[in-house]
Structure formats: C-alpha cells, structure tokens
Amino acid sequence: MAAVDLTAHPGHLARRLQQAHYLLWNTMVSEEITSPQFAVLNALVAEPGLDQRTVGERVGLDRSTIAEVISRLGRRGLLDKVRDPQDGRRSLLRLTDDGVRTHRKLTVRTARMNQVFLAPLSVDEQTVFFDLIRRVSDAAEELRNPADPLATPS
Amino acid sequence: MAAVDLTAHPGHLARRLQQAHYLLWNTMVSEEITSPQFAVLNALVAEPGLDQRTVGERVGLDRSTIAEVISRLGRRGLLDKVRDPQDGRRSLLRLTDDGVRTHRKLTVRTARMNQVFLAPLSVDEQTVFFDLIRRVSDAAEELRNPADPLATPS
DNA sequence: CGTGATTAATCAGGGCACTGAGTATTTCAG
DNA sequence: CTGAAATACTCAGTGCCCTGATTAATCACG
C-alpha cells in the first residue's frame, strides 16, 4: 500500500547506473585503479602541477575525497605531492613516469569499456544520453552554487 | 598531452549525476534517511516480511551493503528483523509503525525532489532520460548475469 | 604592521558499495 | 540417512562520498 515505483526515480536510476559502470570498469579496465583515480590521473596529465583543491574541482571530488584518492595514488607511486613554495597552504601534484604510463594504458581500455557500456544505444541516442545527464547534473550543481555568471550587473 | 575529455565518459557522468542527486536529497528530503534506506523502506511497504537477500535484490544492493543498511534502519527502530522459523538461514524483515510513518512522510518529499531534479528536462525528455539510463543499466547488468531467459532451449 | 577573514589541507565520523572468506542452515544425491 | 552442495548471512578489508571541526598559511584592511 502506498509503495512507490523506484524505476521512475532518477536517484535510484543514477545509483544503478553507477553500479553497472563500476562493475564493468572492474572487469574491463582495472581492479587496481578506480574510475575516480583515473579521473585524477587524467586531470594531471592535462595540467601538471595543479594543487589538490583544483584537481578535485576538475574531476568533481570534494576536499575530503580528493585527499584520500591522492593519498592512495601517492602510496602507489603514481604521483608526487610537494608543498607550494609560493603558497604554503597548497600541495602541488605531478604524475610520476609510472603514473603517466598507467594513464596511457588505461586510456585505451576505458575507450573500449565505454563502447561496450553504451552499446545498447544508437549513436544518436548516446548524444542525447550525454546531453540529458549533463543538463540535469549541471542544474542541480547550480542549485548549490548560485554562481550566476550571467546575472544583470549593476 | 593525450588527456581525455571526461565529460564524454558515461561513468564520470553517472558519478556526477549521483552526487547531484545526493546533494538535493540531503537538502530537500532528509538528512537522516538516505536514498538507499528509503528504497528499503519502500520495498518493505510493498512486500512486508521479505528476507534480507530479496530486499537487496529488489533495491539493487549487494549482500554486504543491504546488511549494513538494514542494521542502521533496525537501530533506529524503523524495522524489525526476525529469524524465519521455516528456514533458519533467513532473516524476515517488517517495518515498524514508525517505519511506515517515515516512509509515508518521505514519499511526499521525494516526489517534490524528483520534480526539481528533473525540472531542466521537458516531459518528453524525462521519458527518454529514464529509458536510456534503464537500457544502459539493464544491459550492463545482463553482462554480469547472463540469465538469458530467451535463449533457444535444446 | 597587525589582526581578522579567507583559503588549503587534514581529521573525525557516518554512510554506500564491492570482494573474498567464513559460519550456520538447509537441501539433495547417493 | 549421511555427507556434499547450495544458500543466507556475517565479517574483514578497501575505496568512494559527504559534513563539520580544526590547523596552518595567506591576504586584506585599517
């Protein structure tokens, strides 16, 4: 009585989608490096020397989570972390050679995995899929951070 | 060099979508009860007396996670857990009055939240959104569980 | 110059999610 | 009827994800 159909709840679907992805990643990409870890490696390939907070911003990880992820990557020797001499609060991050190698290797595999993951959709549908998820995510993000860069200036 | 655009990676988008949902849930629905916890309550409203494993199956939580979630709900007095007299391996679950009340209260709020969450999409787009995510999730699930109920029998 | 606000990082704590191993109970084959 | 397989659950371990509080460094303003 009064129970709800969860399959019409976007949150439930989002969770299931992520679980599905997690599983596929685990079998097709890596059991060592997780998807968020790969995102961090990728951000540092694009912009070496970023500080911890900014990396978190780039990949969508909050201050606590990014700290953990970076600590793990550092422990495995995939990146180096040094205090910024200009600003003693910051930690600057840079991939090691091993980190770069790992990123390159996983890049190939993630591409394959994404193909398999999206295989049930036509190419057009894939585009829509990306667009819809992005719009919903961005809007929710916006609710939190009323950044309004297009507000009418005085 | 050789960095990838994460916004074209479904896994990354799935994670962001879930984060966005988590945040909205936290502010619009409840800081006490999480979305997976609500899913469990909902499953038990629909089918009281289910065993733990089946509840997990209904809401998409694995054996370990469902155990934790149920333990928390039990600790808060929202459900009761009794050994099945017919089969000593099973734990049968049933909501308390407080559990039913909580479910009813949150049902209203989740409906409101879903509206806000999906507001950036037109009604037609919402339908597509559900359909695409469901198809991708189901297909990935299928890769894990080759249940193939429509395989050609001998 | 110095004090108060801001900022980067850390820590403690709670919750979700998975795997692999272990325990208890039931089921079923021989 | 008994021992092996299957099943439900638990436990240990790893990792992601968030909040609130704390610490250290920088910055801004008077």
Side-chain angles (χ1 to χ4, degrees):
Chain A
M1 181 84 66
V4 158
D5 178 17
L6 287 183
T7 66
H9 282 218
H12 185 70
L13 289 176
R15 192 166 60 77
R16 282 200 56 213
L17 184 66
Q18 219 211 332
Q19 285 172 356
H21 175 262
Y22 174 91
L23 259 5
L24 204 56
W25 179 282
N26 229 3
T27 61
M28 287 193 63
V29 180
S30 171
E31 294 184 345
E32 316 286 323
I33 307 297
T34 66
S35 169
Q37 285 172 17
F38 174 74
V40 168
L41 296 182
N42 193 62
L44 289 172
V45 164
E47 303 175 84
L50 278 187
D51 68 303
Q52 190 168 311
R53 190 196 67 78
T54 309
V55 172
E57 203 174 85
R58 292 274 191 283
V59 302
L61 293 174
D62 71 300
R63 65 202 191 290
S64 285
T65 307
I66 192 68
E68 292 178 27
V69 172
I70 283 176
S71 147
R72 277 185 278 269
L73 290 174
R75 225 188 299 134
R76 289 180 205 174
L78 300 183
L79 58 75
D80 286 327
K81 177 170 159 182
V82 298
R83 263 283 180 285
D84 185 345
Q86 253 70 51
D87 184 341
R89 293 167 301 181
R90 286 188 169 80
S91 290
L92 303 186
L93 306 169
R94 198 171 293 278
L95 292 193
T96 62
D97 291 351
D98 206 12
V100 174
R101 258 194 307 277
T102 300
H103 174 266
R104 190 160 39 226
K105 187 174 65 184
L106 294 193
T107 296
V108 181
R109 300 199 198 157
T110 54
R112 271 203 296 269
M113 193 219 56
N114 287 339
Q115 278 196 334
V116 172
F117 195 56
L118 295 173
L121 308 185
S122 73
V123 174
D124 284 352
E125 285 173 330
Q126 293 180 16
T127 308
V128 175
F129 180 78
F130 286 132
D131 176 57
L132 297 183
I133 293 184
R134 223 173 337 218
R135 276 164 58 200
V136 170
S137 303
D138 287 349
E141 182 90 6
E142 197 65 14
L143 286 183
R144 257 187 96 51
N145 285 19
D148 61 297
L150 41 83
T152 58
S154 62
Chain B
M1 185 80 71
V4 158
D5 178 18
L6 287 183
T7 67
H9 282 218
H12 184 69
L13 288 177
R15 192 166 59 76
R16 281 200 58 213
L17 183 67
Q18 218 212 334
Q19 284 171 358
H21 175 261
Y22 174 91
L23 259 6
L24 205 56
W25 178 282
N26 228 4
T27 62
M28 287 193 64
V29 180
S30 171
E31 294 184 347
E32 316 287 322
I33 306 296
T34 65
S35 169
Q37 285 171 18
F38 174 74
V40 168
L41 296 182
N42 193 62
L44 289 172
V45 165
E47 303 176 84
L50 278 187
D51 69 303
Q52 191 168 311
R53 190 195 66 79
T54 308
V55 172
E57 202 174 88
R58 292 274 191 283
V59 302
L61 293 174
D62 71 300
R63 66 202 191 287
S64 286
T65 306
I66 192 68
E68 293 179 26
V69 172
I70 284 177
S71 146
R72 276 185 278 270
L73 290 174
R75 225 187 300 133
R76 289 179 205 175
L78 300 182
L79 58 74
D80 286 326
K81 178 169 158 181
V82 297
R83 266 272 180 292
D84 184 345
Q86 253 69 52
D87 184 341
R89 293 168 299 181
R90 286 188 170 81
S91 291
L92 303 186
L93 306 169
R94 198 171 293 279
L95 293 194
T96 62
D97 291 351
D98 206 12
V100 174
R101 258 194 307 277
T102 301
H103 173 265
R104 191 159 38 223
K105 187 174 64 182
L106 294 193
T107 296
V108 181
R109 299 198 198 158
T110 54
R112 271 204 296 269
M113 194 219 57
N114 287 339
Q115 279 195 334
V116 173
F117 195 55
L118 294 173
L121 307 186
S122 73
V123 174
D124 284 353
E125 285 173 330
Q126 293 180 16
T127 309
V128 175
F129 180 78
F130 286 132
D131 176 57
L132 296 182
I133 293 183
R134 225 172 337 215
R135 277 164 57 198
V136 170
S137 302
D138 287 349
E141 183 89 5
E142 197 64 16
L143 286 183
R144 255 186 99 51
N145 285 18
D148 60 296
L150 41 83
T152 59
S154 62

